[in-house]
Amino acid sequence: MQYLFPILVGFLFNCSATQTPKPVAPSAQKSGPNVEDILDRAAAARLEGINQEDLKTVAMKGVIQMPQGMTAQFQALAKDGSKYNLSTEVAGMKVELISDGKDVYENNPMIGPRLLQGEELAYNLNEANFKRDINWRQNYTSYQLLGEESINGRSAYKILLTTKEGFEVTNFYDKENYQVLRADMVVKGEMGTIPTIMYFSNYENVNGLVMPKTTTTEVMSHKMVMQVQEVTVNGEIPDESFSIPAEMKQ
Amino acid sequence: MFLLLFMLLSPHRDSENVNLASFERVWQIIQEKHWDLAATGVDWNQIHTEYLPRAQKAKSHGEMREIIEEMIGRLGQTHFGLLGGQSFSSIDNLKYEAKAGASELGWEVRRVGDGIFVTRIDPQGEAYEKGVRLGSQILQIGPVKAEQILTAVDAAYANSHQRGLYTVRTLNEFVHHSVGSSITYQILLPGQDQPSSIAFDNAKSIQLTSYFPNMPPMHYQFEKKLIEDKWAYVTFNLFLQPLIQDFPNALSSMPENQGLIIDLRGNPGGLGWLANGIAGYLIAERGQKLGTMQAKEGTLNFFIAPRPNRYEKPVAILIDEASASTSEILAQGLKDLKRARIFGTNSAGAALPSFIETLPNGDRFQYAFGNYTSIGGVEIEGKGVAPDETTPHTLTSMSHSHDATLDAAVTWLKTQTIR
């Protein structure tokens, strides 16, 4: 199931949202609640006691329960400037995914190291921006309210968001507290086209950042449950943590 | 009295319940996970309707197992099966008499013609030490004659479309023995007219390592050597984590080689991504892949990430009827990409990715969740990888203690120029 690791990046960092200026016209609007208002409220719901400008880094550690009874340990580091470093260890193998803000490097010991290219690079750089949902107006060029659905017994707004690169994600926002309950997306890359569904739960406020401690991912007919065990907000993370080996850049 | 009846009946009822639950779970898994049931031509709902009454009447674990296996068999595809559930009693009895077990004597056998022959011998192994050589014919194991084994194997796998694979696996189970046991073989050594009696005493256990939490410990072997001081030869019995280091280390340890032989005969597969990983050492162009797996919910490419330390000399791959899964993905992909020439015999045709789930009654159900098509458009499942040069073991090659497939690969490498 090692092909699943890169998919994890999406939910490791996509855990926040708030408003910024620079409004962009929605592509379509239906009657009912204002989609921008929903997204603004969802963004605000993620930050309690901290301004998005003051949010610089996030570091997490935890475990992922994987198919076949396997358990993976993960560590994720994120920093302003679309920098991230995700390492996952399972069955004695360590898979790394590193973004220095410009390039994204993956080292899967089974497949070998590689620099991501094209659409896969753009997708991962977008994922690396851990404030992209905070600054949703800057990062999504269209947003459309598709309706309402029940997610695990909670009524939710279903909104289709599209990035400037054309990547789509459908988020389901809790109608009461505006937390994201579910996200649907199609992950594309050299490894293929992989529809992915993530369920978020156990939201907690960690030093002002309200984030889900549990993420359940359904991908290729299988389920993974990620439990965040440690979180540090605005801790010191040296830039070297996001360095891509020089030989890969050549 | 009622309590007594309850106590007597409960285990039986519980047993029926877990067996029926196992039947339902197998049916459900295939219903949910199969990537394209319609393409099989089987109405899976109708299958449930057809088999449920029998399942409800099943009185034993074994009876339910037979029903489930029959139901799975209707799909006509591999990688759906109950592990440990086949009750081939005659084979089991013969194995018992032959003291079959998990020891290692350092050899492999295949069926050649109507006999069982040693087709691989480890020069460091006990069998070699006792005088056994490539091409030796095993006539008898303890009290069990080779003909008895072959008859039982033929009967057990007659209707299997993977009988080649299962035959190889079963025959090799006979030539490993219970730890601590002693057994005497009757073996006809190459060039000899009369059989030799060779005794193996106090069989030693093989090293088993746990690579995955939900799988039994496995025995991993990797071998490298330089043939004729020119041809790098590597073989490994499984695609497991140690291969990540062993393969590149082997290449770098034989820098003088002029060509590479990857011997995947008998290799049943393992971690699928390691096929891409090996290919990454052999393919220079970015954007290539070995093939594509199609599951119900998406597609996965076996993409190749070219390694910085690539190997650019000619490559030969050896396969046989026991090369399966990841071995086939690697062989067919490199064949399609014209990066390797394939020697041997048609592979097992068992390439589908699969998972293993423990059923309520304790059996383990192996199921596929995708289809696989090579980059050249070849669907390996059920067909196998066709070698470029078909080079089976023959009675003649065995009598001369020759490995016909390896010989053919070396002959071909000698005609190649280094890129």
Side-chain angles (χ1 to χ4, degrees):
Chain A
M1 299 304 295
Q2 289 73 17
Y3 60 84
L4 301 176
F5 295 156
I7 300 169
L8 303 178
V9 179
F11 61 79
L12 283 170
F13 297 117
N14 182 19
C15 60
S16 6
T18 190
Q19 71 278 25
T20 54
K22 203 175 174 183
V24 179
S27 59
Q29 282 288 359
K30 292 183 176 180
S31 59
N34 182 297
V35 65
E36 291 175 301
D37 184 50
I38 296 169
L39 293 174
D40 282 341
R41 287 171 182 265
R46 297 304 181 86
L47 296 174
E48 291 181 2
I50 187 170
N51 295 320
Q52 67 94 0
E53 296 84 0
D54 297 328
L55 185 59
K56 302 295 184 188
T57 68
V58 179
M60 302 181 222
K61 284 183 181 176
V63 296
I64 305 169
Q65 299 296 330
M66 306 184 74
Q68 300 283 279
M70 290 198 292
T71 300
Q73 309 288 325
F74 77 89
Q75 176 181 274
L77 310 172
K79 193 171 186 176
D80 259 346
S82 293
K83 295 176 181 175
Y84 70 81
N85 180 323
L86 164 69
S87 65
T88 313
E89 283 192 60
V90 63
M93 293 177 289
K94 182 179 179 181
V95 179
E96 290 180 299
L97 195 63
I98 299 173
S99 166
D100 63 5
K102 185 178 174 186
D103 291 308
V104 179
Y105 159 80
E106 182 192 70
N107 187 13
N108 181 326
M110 286 185 291
I111 299 171
R114 65 186 180 118
L115 278 182
L116 306 192
Q117 297 178 335
E119 192 176 27
E120 189 174 22
L121 171 63
Y123 179 87
N124 277 274
L125 282 174
N126 184 60
E127 292 291 313
N129 175 9
F130 76 104
K131 293 187 193 174
R132 71 178 187 280
D133 286 351
I134 295 177
N135 302 322
W136 63 268
R137 283 189 171 89
Q138 290 180 351
N139 295 299
Y140 296 111
T141 53
S142 80
Y143 30 95
Q144 183 180 0
L145 180 62
L146 300 177
E148 297 178 13
E149 278 189 26
S150 177
I151 306 295
N152 294 329
R154 304 282 298 179
S155 295
Y157 296 117
K158 180 180 182 181
I159 296 178
L160 172 65
L161 301 153
T162 307
T163 69
K164 55 183 180 294
E165 299 90 357
F167 303 122
E168 293 182 343
V169 58
T170 301
N171 283 348
F172 297 77
Y173 298 91
D174 190 305
K175 286 182 70 174
E176 287 186 14
N177 58 27
Y178 295 91
Q179 291 169 347
V180 180
L181 300 175
R182 169 177 159 174
D184 297 359
M185 65 203 72
V186 176
V187 178
K188 293 180 182 176
E190 278 192 285
M191 71 172 59
T193 304
I194 305 165
T196 305
I197 300 175
M198 297 172 183
Y199 293 91
F200 307 96
S201 58
N202 296 330
Y203 277 86
E204 287 184 21
N205 183 337
V206 182
N207 296 334
L209 177 66
V210 179
M211 57 174 295
K213 287 292 192 73
T214 303
T215 302
T216 302
T217 303
E218 294 178 0
V219 58
M220 302 293 277
S221 292
H222 298 287
K223 189 179 285 188
M224 297 185 299
V225 179
M226 188 192 78
Q227 298 284 355
V228 176
Q229 295 173 325
E230 290 179 35
V231 185
T232 305
V233 174
N234 283 343
E236 180 66 25
I237 305 176
D239 277 345
E240 293 75 51
S241 299
F242 309 100
S243 297
I244 293 173
E247 64 270 21
M248 293 303 299
K249 292 267 197 177
Q250 291 166 359
Chain B
M1 183 64 179
F2 286 119
L3 179 61
L4 179 61
L5 275 174
F6 179 79
M7 290 171 69
L8 288 170
L9 290 172
S10 287
H12 182 59
R13 189 178 297 142
D14 287 348
S15 171
E16 284 184 359
N17 287 342
V18 294
N19 283 328
L20 189 58
S22 299
F23 167 85
E24 293 289 0
R25 183 61 187 145
V26 169
W27 183 87
Q28 180 188 23
I29 287 172
I30 293 174
Q31 172 80 1
E32 291 177 355
K33 307 289 187 185
H34 196 287
W35 57 100
D36 193 358
L37 266 175
T40 66
V42 173
D43 182 339
W44 198 238
N45 288 312
Q46 177 57 36
I47 290 286
H48 185 267
T49 304
E50 180 181 333
Y51 281 88
L52 181 59
R54 285 176 58 191
Q56 287 170 329
K57 291 176 185 169
K59 298 296 182 192
S60 68
H61 192 150
E63 192 178 341
M64 180 61 81
R65 200 178 274 158
E66 288 176 10
I67 293 168
I68 293 174
E69 285 177 337
E70 186 181 319
M71 178 175 75
I72 296 166
R74 295 284 288 272
L75 286 172
Q77 292 174 320
T78 59
H79 274 42
F80 290 95
L82 292 182
L83 300 183
Q86 292 147 325
S87 52
F88 297 127
S89 56
S90 60
I91 290 179
D92 290 342
N93 290 340
L94 291 174
K95 278 187 191 169
Y96 179 77
E97 291 181 43
K99 300 179 182 177
S103 69
E104 176 61 81
L105 297 178
W107 59 8
E108 275 186 30
V109 298
R110 295 287 188 275
R111 178 179 196 154
V112 180
D114 290 327
I116 301 172
F117 286 81
V118 175
T119 55
R120 182 177 292 172
I121 185 84
D122 177 3
Q124 311 300 320
E126 190 176 353
Y128 188 91
E129 185 185 319
K130 295 273 173 86
V132 178
R133 295 293 181 267
L134 180 75
S136 299
Q137 183 178 3
I138 293 177
L139 303 174
Q140 191 166 329
I141 307 171
V144 182
K145 295 183 186 304
E147 298 83 41
Q148 290 177 274
I149 297 172
L150 290 173
T151 300
V153 168
D154 285 348
Y157 303 125
N159 297 321
S160 170
H161 52 284
Q162 290 189 324
R163 57 182 169 276
L165 172 64
Y166 293 130
T167 296
V168 170
R169 287 182 180 173
T170 304
L171 293 184
N172 280 281
E173 286 168 6
F174 273 95
V175 296
H176 295 78
H177 302 285
S178 305
V179 174
S181 66
S182 297
I183 191 99
T184 300
Y185 279 70
Q186 297 300 316
I187 298 179
L188 185 62
L189 300 173
Q192 301 290 314
D193 294 330
Q194 296 298 318
S196 301
S197 183
I198 299 177
F200 296 96
D201 298 319
N202 192 20
K204 296 171 185 61
S205 64
I206 56 175
Q207 182 182 350
L208 296 172
T209 304
S210 183
Y211 293 98
F212 301 100
N214 201 32
M215 305 264 299
M218 287 175 271
H219 177 56
Y220 168 82
Q221 282 179 301
F222 184 94
E223 181 194 345
K224 61 167 176 119
K225 63 184 176 185
L226 203 56
I227 297 174
E228 298 177 9
D229 294 329
K230 268 192 173 180
W231 318 114
Y233 170 92
V234 297
T235 186
F236 39 96
N237 66 329
L238 289 165
F239 286 80
L240 288 175
Q241 291 92 322
L243 187 60
I244 293 169
Q245 297 299 326
D246 287 343
F247 187 79
N249 288 347
L251 292 183
S252 60
S253 71
M254 298 180 280
E256 68 275 38
N257 79 80
Q258 302 295 300
L260 171 64
I261 298 168
I262 304 173
D263 190 349
L264 299 176
R265 289 176 294 177
N267 189 316
L271 291 168
W273 275 157
L274 282 173
N276 330 17
I278 298 293
Y281 289 105
L282 308 175
I283 297 292
E285 300 81 21
R286 187 82 188 258
Q288 299 283 12
K289 60 183 177 182
L290 297 172
T292 300
M293 187 190 87
Q294 183 182 6
K296 205 166 187 174
E297 296 86 0
T299 58
L300 272 182
N301 294 324
F302 281 70
F303 70 95
I304 300 167
R307 308 267 188 169
N309 48 338
R310 277 188 299 283
Y311 181 85
E312 298 184 335
K313 297 166 189 171
V315 178
I317 292 180
L318 316 186
I319 59 171
D320 69 3
E321 62 272 31
S323 305
S325 194
T326 309
S327 291
E328 297 180 286
I329 289 171
L330 178 61
Q332 185 66 56
L334 291 179
K335 178 185 178 184
D336 289 349
L337 293 168
K338 303 191 186 311
R339 182 61 186 95
R341 188 164 178 83
I342 314 299
F343 297 83
T345 54
N346 219 75
S347 67
L352 299 185
S354 68
F355 274 166
I356 298 171
E357 178 174 315
T358 303
L359 298 173
N361 67 0
D363 279 346
R364 291 184 174 193
F365 177 49
Q366 183 177 19
Y367 63 93
F369 62 96
N371 196 12
Y372 180 81
T373 307
S374 78
I375 183 65
V378 177
E379 289 192 5
I380 298 171
E381 188 63 23
K383 301 171 189 165
V385 179
D388 294 301
E389 291 188 32
T390 301
T391 54
H393 295 297
T394 63
L395 295 176
T396 303
S397 67
M398 290 288 96
S399 68
H400 290 89
S401 200
H402 275 208
D403 182 337
T405 302
L406 181 59
D407 290 349
V410 170
T411 300
W412 173 75
L413 283 173
K414 288 176 178 174
T415 68
Q416 301 302 297
T417 51
I418 295 177
R419 296 193 293 181

